[in-house]
Amino acid sequence: MAIDRRDFLKFAVGGAVGTMLTPLPWVSMDEAAKWTQRWGPVLQRGGTSFLNSVCRLCPGGCGIRIRLIEQKRAVKIEGNPNHPVNRGGLCPLGLAGLQYLYYEENRIKTPLKRDGARGFGDWRPITWEEALYQITVRLKELREKDLPHTVALVDGEKPGSQSQLLARFLKAYGSPNYIRPFQLSELEEIVTQTLHGVRAGITLDLPRSRYILSFGAALLDGWGNPSWVGQAFQEWRQESQKAKARLVQIEPLASTTASMADEWVAIRPGTEGILALGLAQVMIEKGWFHKELVQARTIGLEGLRDLLNKNYTPDQTAKTTEIPKETIEKLAQDFSSAEQPVALWGKGKGELPISLFEAQAIHILNILAGSINRPGGVYLQPGFPYISWPKLSLDKTAEKGLAQPRLDGAMSPKYPKTGNLACNLFENAARKTPYPVNLLFLNEVNPVFCLGERHFLRALEKIPFVVCFSSFMDETANLADLILPVSNFLERWDDSYNCQGVPFPIYGLTKPVFPPLYDTKSSGETILALAKNLGEKVEEAFPFEKIEEVFKQAARGLFNSKKGRLTDGPLPEAGKYAPAHFESFDKFWEQLVAQGTWYDLENKSEGGKGKWDFSAATLQAPAPRPQSLKEYPLWLIPQSLMLLQSGYLPNPPFLTKYLGEEVLIKNTLVVQIHPETARSLSLSEGSPVEIQSANGRIKALIHLFEGARPGCVFVPLGMGHKAFDPTLKDRGANPYPILDSVVDPQTGMEVAWATRVKIVKV
């Protein structure tokens, strides 16, 4: 099927926006399913019913309804019209959710034990009893040797009770090494802790924003909560011409978002933070900032002014960013004079860290514009304060283990504000510094495919036993010693705390639609069983007979708050919201299970402690890795796409089939460059090439695109798997291994995005 760029843009925007308005009819998905080679529709007869639940495929946490036939087979997922965020709509990934449930060729159906060498696929099915016994024996041995701290767990589970359960298990056992991969929310918390004196998330009142200045955020390609952004985009475009919101996209490619924006600014890659400070310099010097708020709530303005006047004048900024001085001044004036402006950061979908410098520089614009805790702006939202766990009582072994330093160096004197540094964990495990890892748990992560592959593979050689919780036989699971198959989100109890980027608290409860199709368990069920096997204080830390009780505990916190309401009716009109009353917790729990979502529109944002301090900001960009421009004259820019998953989840066949010829032709990846760049390299449309960086090389075909900034090559993230079924395996190339990364000296995070490369014709 050929889809040109125009068709692609129509669909991609339709996926982000149109499907939010009118859920994609099932027949479309069914027809699309027929096109795939590995997936066919399954016809069912019988009575239909619907169950409310919550999507767990991304941190968005959208409300969904699952259509069942005879309560035996799920045949459709659609948006819950009463959900306060997605309001009946759903992104393409959510609509394709059933393909993960019935992904028969890729799902792991029973616990597996490795028999041969790692990576050779020699697996033997075992029972859950045998799997748990083998893990328990190792865990007991390490505790008996006073080595509980040599157990580590990397958890890719999205924020919720199950992730807290896993973290609690490591703590009760005696290991400080519960570590999560990078999440954009963690960088947000560091920004607010630094500038506002309080650790809070950053949420956005996008629907009411009237001027949106996006520094590379792929708003219409999956950034943040796709449903929330889609709702906002709909409202921006439905306003009268006079009140119409203005979207300005700053990135070097005419992406889907840039193509749909009111203005596209093709910036030099890697200079977004510098541009933000250049705008701040103009705003301060011209007096174009919110004087009342800045004078009342901030300190350090004079120091900021001096630094900006020294290093970020329009002339200096124009030279670095290659954006005309006049454009810089116009952007500053438009942003500062707009009603309810907001500046956004987080390139692509936010899947890779950006520097603290860049995030802070962009956030300073929001402070100067008076957009903090204001309609249409940014709200500082504390965590999810409604859930409380029983007090944890530790034994001597656990206390000694927890006294050991973390293997990733997070929360240390060097990186006191950073909570997780997964790459550091793998680096230190490879060096056995400060101590070795004897047992590694991996929960729903695939580090072999993502950034950090080199670190993980080096560490693997030094770790004697690796246990992988996964639904799929992905690249990482294939290298484990023991695989524990995880139930799909439609087969298990689970929950989600808040919807990413949404400025009011939401709790979503996922319940089993029907028993697991295969011999699988949730990670939480397995952890409860291991705790019981270990006994004593570890077992006492989990007073739950069944996994369902963990989520009842969370629900009791919501009930006791006497706030919020359930999605048992349409979203109240403005000014008519009121909390619901429930006569007992049992009634509340019964209704929460039935409706799936609790929310509270009366949430109050966090104002921060003391005055917001500009002088605490980091205003020096991390030094890039020194490289020869002569040897590597081009920039490789990763590209996030709504229709292509680039993390733990494999792309479902439904979405892979929709990829256009600017992404994939047969089994070869397609990259985009400007025609002038192509001519300078004697390349033409369809030329086969090799893209080489200092870290490696990938093969691709050239696609000429006038919307690509000259001197850059744009490479989609998500293809190039070495695992999964033929719809993904050995199709395209994976750019993660050739990306350059530098360690941000402020956060310790490996910052990766634009990478110096050269193109060789093959």
Side-chain angles (χ1 to χ4, degrees), residues 4 12-13 49 72 153 160 172 238 345 417 428 437 443 445-446 467 507 561 609 648-649 671 699 714 732 741:
D4 64 20
V13 175
S49 59
K72 293 179 180 176
L153 193 158
Q238 283 186 346
W345 45 271
K417 295 172 182 161
N428 289 333
V437 174
N443 182 44
V445 290
N446 187 4
V467 178
Y507 175 85
S561 75
K609 294 180 180 177
Y648 164 71
L649 284 179
V671 299
K699 291 185 177 179
F714 296 88
S741 63

Side-chain angles (χ1 to χ4, degrees), residues 631-647:
E631 185 178 3
Y632 298 109
L634 304 175
W635 285 107
L636 182 157
I637 311 295
Q639 190 183 3
S640 295
L641 299 174
M642 172 75 87
L643 303 179
L644 190 52
Q645 303 310 301
S646 54

